[in-house]
Amino acid sequence: MVYLPQRRRPGRQRSLKAHWNDLPRLRSDRLLLLIGLGIALSWSAISILKWLLPSDPPAASETVSEVSREELATTYNVKSPPDWQANPDLQAIVDETVALAEDAGLPTEALSITLVDVGDPATHYQAGYNPQIMRFPASVSKLFWLAAFFQRVRAGSIPDESPFYQDLNYMIRISDNDSAGRILDAITQTTSGEALEGTELETWIDKRSQIDTLFRNANYKNIILSTKNYPITDGGEAPAGRDLQLKQNRALASGNRVSTDQAARLMYEIYTKQAVSPVASTKMAHLLTRDLNPSAWDEGDRDFVKGFLGESLPTDIYFASKVGYTSRSRQEVIFVRTLDDRAIYILAVFGTDAAYAQNEEIFPRMSRHIFDRLNGTPQKLKPKEVSVFKSKDN
């Protein structure tokens, strides 16, 4: 996949050494003061996130005591998809959103949408368009690597998460591919490098494919997450060596594949505090949170908002996101919660065609339409017994 070179996009490598070297030297007394302040702020952030996260889902998730360590090593902890209910009103909103893309002359066969309303604490609702088609996720794959990392920590195969804090932060906050590669290596206990042969290659592919098995065992059907994102500093613009051999494997030749239902499901499990554990979910939610107010942005935040689902939304909401972008696709999954709780929802949109990559208006337009429709509807949606998805899934 060729990335657009004109301006830095999610997934491009950033130079961070200069920022680190600019930090002033601190006297020990000031350092202790800052450490204490940091601990206090961390507790405050966790308290705020606990308040922001939606209430527990209708079905209780399994507890740590119910899961063996061996099972944790091979299976993401939430084994079944959510019990989302279909609803004609929510489906109408999705259909209107698809029409916006069609009116803009964009190919709707390359579009997938999943919308989940979690505003009702008793029942959560879903609607979609092509929601189960497996598509190239670009950097949305990093959302799954994030959850898999904490699952490995919980299982004990990664005994200490602290050495990975910087990579986790860079992988999610600035979508850094080098950091993401190191996280994927840690999850699968593999490294990139020169080509391998015979049994050595088979063993390496089996280990790298553990990331797919982890989620497939939890009914994320047909998901593929084993290919690193490019470009990377030492690996160039495309896979080479054993990573190229991975892509030449018949079962993995198409690269990473995720559906919008799957992306929305994982975001849902994070924000209902089911993903790995409530503590791990809170940590993930913190990393995914973005401030939509331009005055709070650093130099790179604009690249993760402009042209994406958050650009058109009000700044006074809780917003979390993981974007993906290449010269041939635009993807994003978001969690939105208004301060008055009128609208609480998850939205995943994948446009896997160059027309979506080149159009910076359609994602913001679709996002605002959905926000206005959900935020402007005071009554709660009513369940419907039969699914009314308008889907082109095969």
Side-chain angles (χ1 to χ4, degrees):
M1 190 60 62
V2 180
Y3 284 71
L4 291 179
Q6 288 86 346
R7 64 188 180 100
R8 186 179 57 75
R9 278 291 187 178
R12 298 296 293 184
Q13 173 72 15
R14 291 181 62 184
S15 174
L16 298 154
K17 185 176 181 181
H19 296 291
W20 182 262
N21 290 336
D22 287 341
L23 291 175
R25 296 183 180 274
L26 296 173
R27 287 178 11 204
S28 59
D29 55 342
R30 293 184 181 178
L31 183 58
L32 289 173
L33 177 62
L34 286 177
I35 290 173
L37 181 60
I39 292 172
L41 289 174
S42 297
W43 279 107
S44 298
I46 290 174
S47 298
I48 293 171
L49 280 169
K50 286 181 177 179
W51 175 76
L52 286 168
L53 296 177
S55 57
D56 290 336
S61 61
E62 58 190 353
T63 63
V64 176
S65 61
E66 296 169 340
V67 184
S68 71
R69 189 167 294 277
E70 181 180 355
E71 190 174 18
L72 282 172
T74 58
T75 307
Y76 168 70
N77 68 296
V78 186
K79 297 178 185 177
S80 301
D83 184 24
W84 292 329
Q85 300 298 307
N87 177 269
D89 296 331
L90 197 65
Q91 186 62 49
I93 296 173
V94 171
D95 294 343
E96 293 162 4
T97 305
V98 174
L100 293 176
E102 192 171 18
D103 291 345
L106 295 167
T108 55
E109 68 274 8
L111 178 66
S112 287
I113 299 174
T114 297
L115 176 62
V116 183
D117 185 337
V118 295
D120 186 335
T123 309
H124 297 160
Y125 303 98
Q126 176 213 37
Y129 179 81
N130 294 332
Q132 296 178 10
I133 289 182
M134 307 305 292
R135 299 191 186 275
F136 174 62
S139 286
V140 173
S141 59
K142 295 167 184 172
L143 177 68
F144 291 84
W145 298 341
L146 177 67
F149 174 85
F150 284 106
Q151 186 77 10
R152 292 302 201 201
V153 171
R154 187 182 183 213
S157 56
I158 298 177
D160 184 6
E161 66 186 75
S162 58
F164 297 94
Y165 285 163
Q166 179 171 289
D167 279 335
L168 290 169
N169 187 54
Y170 290 172
M171 178 177 75
I172 299 301
R173 297 299 303 163
I174 62 173
S175 208
D176 179 70
N177 288 339
D178 289 85
S179 294
R182 288 188 287 271
I183 294 297
L184 182 58
D185 286 345
I187 294 166
T188 60
Q189 297 181 334
T190 60
T191 57
S192 297
E194 62 186 12
L196 301 172
E197 295 182 1
T199 303
E200 196 175 8
L201 175 61
E202 292 176 5
T203 299
W204 186 88
I205 290 177
D206 287 344
K207 291 178 70 175
R208 179 62 74 79
S209 300
Q210 288 174 358
I211 183 67
D212 305 329
T213 303
L214 187 75
F215 285 99
R216 288 183 181 185
N217 285 348
N219 283 294
Y220 280 82
K221 295 181 179 179
N222 301 318
I223 198 167
I224 302 177
L225 300 161
S226 48
T227 301
K228 290 185 176 181
N229 294 109
Y230 291 84
I232 57 178
T233 301
D234 296 327
E237 294 285 327
R242 64 195 68 173
D243 288 287
L244 178 59
Q245 290 175 303
L246 179 75
K247 290 206 69 173
Q248 292 170 342
N249 181 283
R250 180 182 299 180
L252 304 170
S254 61
N256 294 339
R257 286 293 182 270
V258 175
S259 71
T260 53
D261 266 5
Q262 291 171 340
R265 173 186 164 181
L266 183 54
M267 189 70 94
Y268 173 88
E269 287 161 355
I270 290 171
Y271 279 90
T272 52
K273 296 177 280 188
Q274 299 181 85
V276 183
S277 70
V279 171
S281 291
T282 301
K283 291 177 180 179
M284 288 185 266
H286 175 71
L287 288 169
L288 292 162
T289 301
R290 291 196 177 276
D291 192 332
L292 294 179
N293 192 332
S295 64
W297 295 352
D298 65 19
E299 119 184 49
D301 282 323
R302 179 179 172 85
D303 287 340
F304 299 92
V305 178
K306 181 170 174 54
F308 292 97
L309 300 174
E311 180 183 6
S312 58
L313 299 182
T315 59
D316 60 340
I317 61 172
Y318 178 82
F319 180 80
S321 163
K322 187 67 199 80
V323 305
Y325 179 83
T326 72
S327 60
R328 298 180 183 178
S329 64
R330 186 182 298 270
Q331 302 91 336
E332 188 170 13
V333 55
I334 65 173
F335 172 81
V336 172
R337 185 171 189 170
T338 59
L339 299 184
D340 61 2
D341 284 354
R342 173 167 286 191
I344 312 175
Y345 63 91
I346 292 159
L347 172 65
V349 183
F350 288 6
T352 51
D353 187 279
Y356 287 95
Q358 296 162 8
N359 190 317
E360 293 194 344
E361 297 180 356
I362 190 60
F363 269 42
R365 189 181 306 161
M366 291 191 296
S367 179
R368 186 65 195 215
H369 177 77
I370 289 171
F371 177 85
D372 286 343
R373 291 282 274 115
L374 289 176
N375 194 45
T377 305
Q379 71 272 16
K380 292 297 180 183
L381 296 169
K382 304 299 181 185
K384 184 178 177 62
E385 294 181 359
V386 181
S387 173
V388 291
F389 285 163
K390 285 183 63 177
S391 175
K392 296 181 180 178
D393 288 0
N394 294 325

